[in-house]
Amino acid sequence: MSHDGDSGRKGAAVLPMRRRDFMSDQEVRWCPGCGDYSILAQTQKMLPDLNIPRENFVFVSGIGCSSRFPYYVNTYGFHGIHGRAPTLATGIKASRPELSVWVITGDGDALSIGGNHFMHAVRRNLDINIILFNNRIYGLTKGQYSPTSEFGKKTKSTPAGSIDYPINPLCIAISNEATFVARSIDVDVKHLSSVLTQAAHHKGVSFVEVFQNCNIFNDGAFKHFSERGFRDDRTLRLEDGKPLVFGRDRDKGIRLNGLKLEVVDLRREDSEADLLIHDIHDPDPHLANLLARMDYPDFPVPLGVFRSVAKPTYDELMEAQVQDAISRSGTGDLERLLNSGDTWVVK
Amino acid sequence: MSHDGDSGRKGAAVLPMRRRDFMSDQEVRWCPGCGDYSILAQTQKMLPDLNIPRENFVFVSGIGCSSRFPYYVNTYGFHGIHGRAPTLATGIKASRPELSVWVITGDGDALSIGGNHFMHAVRRNLDINIILFNNRIYGLTKGQYSPTSEFGKKTKSTPAGSIDYPINPLCIAISNEATFVARSIDVDVKHLSSVLTQAAHHKGVSFVEVFQNCNIFNDGAFKHFSERGFRDDRTLRLEDGKPLVFGRDRDKGIRLNGLKLEVVDLRREDSEADLLIHDIHDPDPHLANLLARMDYPDFPVPLGVFRSVAKPTYDELMEAQVQDAISRSGTGDLERLLNSGDTWVVK
Amino acid sequence: MPATTTEKNHKSGREIVEIENATIRFAGDSGDGMQLTGTQFTNTSAIFGNDISTLPDFPAEIRAPAGSLPGVSGFQINFSSRDIRTPGDQPNVLVAMNPAALRVHLSDLEPGGIVIANSNSFLPLNLKKAGYGSNPLEDGSLSGYRLIAVPLNELNGKALQELNLHKRDADRCKNFFALGITYWLYDRPLEPTLSWIEAKFKRRPQILAANTLALRSGYNYADTTELFTTHYRVRTARLAPGKYRNITGNEATAFGFIAASQKLRRPLFYASYPITPASDILHELARHKNFGIKTFQAEDEIAAVGAAIGSSFAGHLGLTGTSGPGVALKSEAIGLAVMTELPLVIANIQRGGPSTGLPTKTEQADLLQALFGRNGECPVAVVAPATPSGCFTMAFEAFRLATRFMTPVFFLSDGYLANGSEPWKIPSVANLPDIEVRFRTEAEGFQPYLRDEKTLSRPWAIPGTPGLEHRIGGLEKQNITGNVSYNPDNHDRMVRLRAEKIARIADFIPSVKVFGKPEGKVLVVGWGSTYGAITSAVESMQEQGHPVSSLHLQYLNPLPGNLGEVLSRFDRVLVPELNLGQLLMIIRSRYLVDAVGFNRVRGLPFKISELQEAIGEML
Amino acid sequence: MPATTTEKNHKSGREIVEIENATIRFAGDSGDGMQLTGTQFTNTSAIFGNDISTLPDFPAEIRAPAGSLPGVSGFQINFSSRDIRTPGDQPNVLVAMNPAALRVHLSDLEPGGIVIANSNSFLPLNLKKAGYGSNPLEDGSLSGYRLIAVPLNELNGKALQELNLHKRDADRCKNFFALGITYWLYDRPLEPTLSWIEAKFKRRPQILAANTLALRSGYNYADTTELFTTHYRVRTARLAPGKYRNITGNEATAFGFIAASQKLRRPLFYASYPITPASDILHELARHKNFGIKTFQAEDEIAAVGAAIGSSFAGHLGLTGTSGPGVALKSEAIGLAVMTELPLVIANIQRGGPSTGLPTKTEQADLLQALFGRNGECPVAVVAPATPSGCFTMAFEAFRLATRFMTPVFFLSDGYLANGSEPWKIPSVANLPDIEVRFRTEAEGFQPYLRDEKTLSRPWAIPGTPGLEHRIGGLEKQNITGNVSYNPDNHDRMVRLRAEKIARIADFIPSVKVFGKPEGKVLVVGWGSTYGAITSAVESMQEQGHPVSSLHLQYLNPLPGNLGEVLSRFDRVLVPELNLGQLLMIIRSRYLVDAVGFNRVRGLPFKISELQEAIGEML
Ligand SMILES: Cc1ncc(C[n+]2csc(CCOP(=O)(O)OP(=O)(O)O)c2C)c(N)n1
Ligand SMILES: Cc1ncc(C[n+]2csc(CCOP(=O)(O)OP(=O)(O)O)c2C)c(N)n1
Ligand code: SF4
Ligand code: SF4
Ligand SMILES: [Mg+2]
Ligand SMILES: [Mg+2]
């Protein structure tokens, strides 16, 4: 087509970048102790390694404590309106596929008001990264229950306990055929950083749920499985191609019994042979679905990559249709367009 | 509480009702040959058997050809706005749990603009019946592709083919823990009527996807498996407690192989022993999920009830909280409320 | 249709009367193909060289029940050898394919007008559906008209006999038979339709043959029988020299946006959720991907506007289109575009409201929504085309202003413009205004909310530009730096700056021009699709010597700078609108002029005659 | 704070000066508990018997960075022995817990006012964060004020020593230490706060003891040291006799809705999505389920309004509450409620806009959105409370009108009313207006859109009623039958009927009353939360002998029937608003009066003084 190329490629930074290149000059305004700090730090640390010019990053968010994130990252950023970050991201990425687009969202932002956009961005396999800060509460509006809050939760808006059954974000993503699905937690910075990096490298939609502590309105929401003392016993690190083993002494595993999962005590059984082998590339989402539904106390809480499969992305398909149209009909000619159809001349 | 009871229970019709009692005086305005007629007819036939006073039915819809449905049923009816029928239904049912509330929606109405409300009504297990007329097209706006249209579909809005991967409505419902999930098809009136009746009897959210032919804009969308000649070979009738067998000669079955389903030729294998047994009451949704993903040509298309489990409903939980508050604190006393807190007297 | 000259038809020997203009309305069941028939008559007349104006009018249902009143679909064409501006107040000829069509449309027909009715469809069941107690073709109730009862099914069936079609398939062609009759009646050439049939059905030779035969047979039938004693000729209009095509408002709108994209050298990104009567813009733009256009059918209107905003942020031309209910949904996001000061065009093809309202009918009742339908002080620019072809210019203008002022701009069309058509003198691309986008690229001195002195607009600095990394959003911004600011004085300043920026657009748009004398007794002020009717009414009042002038606003916000002064030159001001007085309120409030409204909210355009009456009452 | 009488304090021997009223502002970090401290001071003063008015002012962040300027949270109380209506233009005392608080608020303090500063927090890092080059407590820059530097952390720490608390926990009580100081300064009783502490912390005896000790120690510290040479007494106000409580606008709003529900004998159904500053209505109503109230935290604002409409259809009192951005989202559904003519109340607790704007600040810029923010001609009623306690009455009124007229009603409060508080003379339930709902139950003659002659409202016929089965929806309705109708004349009639129905509400609301002489030079016209400031300003101008009157609109649509006549009795009309002139536009357009606006959009209420100035300019 006849337009100038976008200015995206000129003058990328020459030097390798560092964390502080991704720190903006804005004062970070989360509560002291908030889990958001850790996610911000890991993101800023990981970004330089992606080898993408800084000016090609766009962080997009909705509204919520978590959604303040873009202000703190020294890239292009768009703090949108509540629940609509995926729509902004769609416009950005579909227009400019060369940009690296990140959606930062909260459990209310993504799953309550923004549920529909989340679902559609995922099913279209738009090549963006969606990082959901799940603190199981509405932080910014001061503590109402969210779609991921546990049933019966007492909050300001539910003094008698909530009566909404919680949503499992991973299941929603998987049922929309998300091509990359992962989970991590704010307190495990190494794990978090690795998951974010993998998400960044995935082509297609990457969905990462990050358990995030809101120490003001929902303190300790994840500590029953995430505290150091028993974290290894109550969480399961997913590793592609490896059997599902967990426990401080790696003495427990997960196996399939008919349609269901069960925990196996490896000290009692003789072998790991019949344990499930994790396979993130399985085109069928059944394993991912089974894993996503595992929860403490019946099961360990799985962390890591649940699924990573390849599929053409929405933005590239859209671009291809444009290129295809050009190669079939030639670059659009306005004069010809206006003169198309039945015409006649008046003298 | 101190309010008068609603007038819902007085004067229910004495005589047994008949189909024509549920036919309104409005002229039906669908295109001749539209699949909607059959769904309307089956509904009107089934309603009298539910033994619910006619005045206690409310049919609610959004916008679309399908959403004209309420005009034709001689009950209370609300033709809402596009995608929002579940929200109207929530207000109706949560306010008046004694009413039998039906949401009539289309694939665009429920899954495109209304995706979020659909998801939340389902996850709350509101005791309503959601009937989705899936014609895989936008009928009323004259033929754009819908979220259930097949990838690559050429329509007015996608002359080069759509690039959205379609949504599987059953998977969405199941991932939101729908307590009743079923599927039927306009052309099989007996099956349709039986599924609608089962949905009506389920307490909690009932989700029924009905394949519906739009003979104007998407004619024959389902005929590759639904035409009489090969319908039995290409569809699978789900029956609770029975093995998954299909075929005109009931000579094919479905079994589990690891995490995946496979089709077994019963003529070659000796027994039905290792076929999957359908279990609609399984609290885990894995089987339902596996079945929901079966599609022609690899598999037969399953029709019938996928899942039916019991769980307290949103409306009853909400009502219980009110009753509980009354029994704990007594019926609200306005005088006392206004005089609560720190007060002082000026003389 | 006042006769001008008369001659004998060379072939039939019957009289041929030359007239200045005529109005014909085709009406039938939704399934009868009336929209297609009307379009063929339109194109033929346009190509023939008449000036034309059309009014399609169809039900909200796809195929409402056969024979029912709500199922009637109509298409009216006014064609003329003079300049015309409206589809005509009263048809001279009504083609009624069934009793319901007759019932719905008869009252509009001119006294003594011609009714061409398909007598085969006037059967008891259809008569009952249409609410007729007896057959109007036989009971004398049409004595005030010239009734031409034609057994269309029968005649058409016979004509197509040789093709051995199913009766149903043959019957489908009867609209072409009827069209043939009207072509004879108005002495139209058959060629344009014949070649359309050929192109359209080239892969289905049976249908091609059938339609061709039906059209010719209808024509010949009228020619050979004594159906009509006279027929009519409407000469070529004296249009300005140039190359013409027929164009609907929605087509012109799409072309205008494409033209803006080409001139601005930025790709167009159209995000929309289908809705009547805006969907055709999506359909049209989707066909022109080779212009670098991307079209996105979003999951809903909110997603559409969000994506358009995202695209604008990324440096493309973000565009979203919808109708009133969709605008309601987009309003929160439009506020975001105002706060982030990004270019965005929102096309609202208005329809009857409120709520779902009358989806296929026209109305002008979303002006106040465009101006005020958001939380907070949230000013946007508003433009409104006046004619179907004028949609081209105003669509182009919308993007000129949006990019120049970094602001959302509403483009307010309506159902009548969208589906109506007229001949359009195709502009030469070279003559289109030169407009351009200048992205900020220098990092030195860059501030996201630094403002241009003249326009007050902030720089457009798009992702991918090194050194300009910055963050925007919906929270109040500090002027210049663009940082989040809760400072009271900054907020007050920003609220006023945003308002002032829109106000300054007035310096970049043309002044209003008065049609008629620059001063006088009555000034008629209109906007949008009522242009044709208002201007025609005013013109004829002027011809009668009345001191009436008019002006038509295509820029609704800001209003042209000279408007107040023009208003002050007239004793009285009349504001006709297809709403309850929306522009009226603005004008009264702004200029403290005791303007009076003339308001009809019938889902239909004004008639010239009712406007003349209203103006008459002001004199 | 003009002194009236002086005496010696019996205990301290220091002077005690009697004053009429005083304004104190507490300011500190978000984590310093300033909102709580302010609330305690408020309640104590209210219980003591002063008239009070408060202005909380907090950041949008939950806990913005310690010591930062955006993290400062403030709370201002005006308390008086006379009638007061505003939180005061200028505080007499500023309690500054840190340098940032001083920096943000000092400019508002009256010249010569008292600064009580926590000197322990004036450390280099904090000074830098607040942008101070040197320590203002030491560099003489505060010489225009009476500076009382108190090492709060230190003193408080020592006072709590015996409890052996962690330093952090002890430090948390320092706001109570400061509160104690101010209690001494204004001769307030300690008992209300002591018993509040007791009730609040009864399960945490350590904290109970610590807070008690801190409060008492602060008081004693002021009493024994020579911190202040004088202290002040503000006598009990001469309020009308009766039982009082302190109430915030949001509480009063919730109570008003509950009262309407009780009087109408219909259950309330509140559907809402949390948003500042409306969320507290949800929190409050959720606590009163024993009134048969159901509260529904919806997935978004659209779901909330949809559920409220559904509930109304089912015969309950459908209510939804939000702020401006949420109203934007609800606008399509409100149109549905207009078309279906169902009762619905939409509470908009306005905040700074546009877009996300200033979420925790006040503004009046959503009036035009309420009036016009929907597609089509879509009229609704609009009411707006004038004071925090007045929210009770207008919430009640909203439901009276909604049910009587079968219409959506907007209740327009704002952030200032919502969070501000004042003493409220508790009404007796028996004196509340008698209102009732009459559902249609007779099947005979029932038609869904049959209209009441007086109100034009249609019957409320709810599911469960045998024989009244009917269907409604968003498509245009035929009058009386309620069937879908695309008939042009019916549409025009329905558009006008809906408008007329709202217009008729004017006969069911009180006329406006003029404050001051019924005619004169200047009439000040206000609406909503500006009541206090406007009335105070006008009153003082009147006392100075100026021919100024005012009127305050609590019914914005329709406007009271006598408004035009009242306006005509004054030479000039001034319309002060916290927007750019929204009511102004309506008044100018409706009455063709050359009214002038006074507009501030600073996220803060008006000051009395700026209004006086503006009025002065009109004289
Ligand atoms: C349209 C709209 N509705 C409501 C709000 C108020 N609001 C802001 S953030 C939020 C929810 C925040 O929860 P979450 O998304 O979980 O983010 P968190 O603060 O917990 O990070 C709400 C309800 C808003 N800003 N806009
Ligand atoms: C807010 C809004 N947006 C768009 C529309 C236009 N619209 C009406 S129905 C429809 C989709 C219909 O498709 P579906 O839900 O599948 O129903 P069907 O007609 O196929 O039964 C659309 C886009 C509308 N009425 N309102
Ligand atoms: S409220 Fe919770 S989520 Fe928000 S910043 Fe504070 S700790 Fe973090
Ligand atoms: S357009 Fe399709 S779905 Fe709609 S009524 Fe016609 S056949 Fe049915
Ligand atoms: Mg959260
Ligand atoms: Mg459909």
Side-chain angles (χ1 to χ4, degrees), chain C residues 232-514:
Chain C
Y232 303 95
R233 175 174 298 157
V234 177
R235 281 200 187 277
T236 299
R238 285 146 295 168
L239 297 174
K243 191 163 168 200
Y244 282 79
R245 57 171 291 163
N246 187 34
I247 198 158
T248 68
N250 272 350
E251 278 167 352
T253 302
F255 287 7
F257 290 136
I258 296 175
S261 161
Q262 290 288 306
K263 280 284 174 174
L264 288 165
R265 304 178 69 79
R266 297 305 308 153
L268 190 63
F269 185 85
Y270 186 58
S272 183
Y273 186 68
I275 189 168
T276 306
S279 309
D280 282 338
I281 298 175
L282 172 61
H283 306 158
E284 185 65 32
L285 289 173
R287 295 175 49 224
H288 302 291
K289 296 195 165 58
N290 61 329
F291 283 85
I293 297 170
K294 290 179 176 172
T295 58
F296 170 50
Q297 180 178 318
E299 61 270 27
D300 64 14
E301 284 85 353
I302 302 177
V305 66
I309 293 171
S311 177
S312 286
F313 179 64
H316 286 208
L317 300 179
L319 169 67
T320 189
T322 186
S323 189
V327 173
L329 290 167
K330 289 177 201 287
S331 51
E332 189 203 7
I334 295 171
L336 177 66
V338 167
M339 187 64 106
T340 53
E341 304 192 32
L342 285 169
L344 171 71
V345 174
I346 310 114
N348 177 358
I349 317 304
Q350 300 165 95
R351 64 189 217 182
S355 194
T356 313
L358 297 169
T360 57
K361 310 285 171 180
T362 198
E363 202 159 294
Q364 301 188 291
D366 298 349
L367 173 60
L368 294 178
Q369 180 193 35
L371 291 169
F372 306 121
R374 294 162 297 281
N375 56 301
E377 291 291 348
C378 197
V380 298
V382 181
V383 302
T387 62
S389 69
C391 290
F392 179 84
T393 315
M394 295 318 287
F396 188 93
E397 277 295 273
F399 266 116
R400 177 178 71 88
L401 298 176
T403 51
R404 183 79 196 256
F405 286 84
M406 295 291 282
T407 180
V409 178
F410 261 99
F411 169 87
L412 283 185
S413 172
D414 64 27
Y416 165 60
L417 292 178
N419 295 317
S421 64
E422 60 179 4
W424 180 45
K425 188 171 161 219
I426 302 168
S428 128
V429 171
N431 290 343
L432 293 176
D434 266 324
I435 51 180
E436 66 170 327
V437 158
R438 254 185 260 154
F439 291 130
R440 171 96 192 191
T441 51
E442 295 158 73
E444 185 68 32
F446 170 69
Q447 297 273 23
Y449 278 69
L450 198 64
R451 296 184 183 280
D452 179 88
E453 270 185 25
K454 242 163 72 188
T455 61
L456 294 182
S457 70
R458 70 178 195 87
W460 199 359
I462 68 170
T465 320
L468 303 193
E469 292 84 357
H470 67 284
R471 277 72 46 194
I472 58 174
L475 287 165
E476 182 58 286
K477 299 276 158 283
Q478 191 172 54
N479 198 26
I480 300 174
T481 69
N483 290 335
V484 171
S485 166
Y486 305 134
N487 178 284
D489 292 320
N490 175 73
H491 179 47
D492 192 273
R493 187 180 324 120
M494 290 297 275
V495 165
R496 289 171 202 275
L497 272 172
R498 286 185 289 261
E500 171 67 13
K501 183 172 83 165
I502 298 299
R504 288 211 187 164
I505 293 177
D507 300 338
F508 292 75
I509 58 175
S511 302
V512 269
K513 283 188 197 66
V514 176

Side-chain angles (χ1 to χ4, degrees), chain B residues 30 36 63-67 81-82 84 105-111 113 133-141 144 146-147 212 214, chain C residues 273-276 279 301 322 325-326 329 351 356 359, chain D residues 332:
Chain B
W30 289 308
D36 291 355
I63 301 282
C65 292
S66 36
S67 288
I81 44 180
H82 198 28
R84 318 303 175 186
T105 184
D107 40 329
D109 195 58
L111 299 170
I113 193 168
F133 294 22
N134 186 0
N135 55 12
R136 297 189 176 160
I137 199 81
Y138 286 1
L140 191 67
T141 47
Q144 300 83 9
S146 91
Q212 172 247 323
C214 167
Chain C
Y273 186 68
I275 189 168
T276 306
S279 309
E301 284 85 353
T322 186
L329 290 167
R351 64 189 217 182
T356 313
Chain D
E332 189 203 5

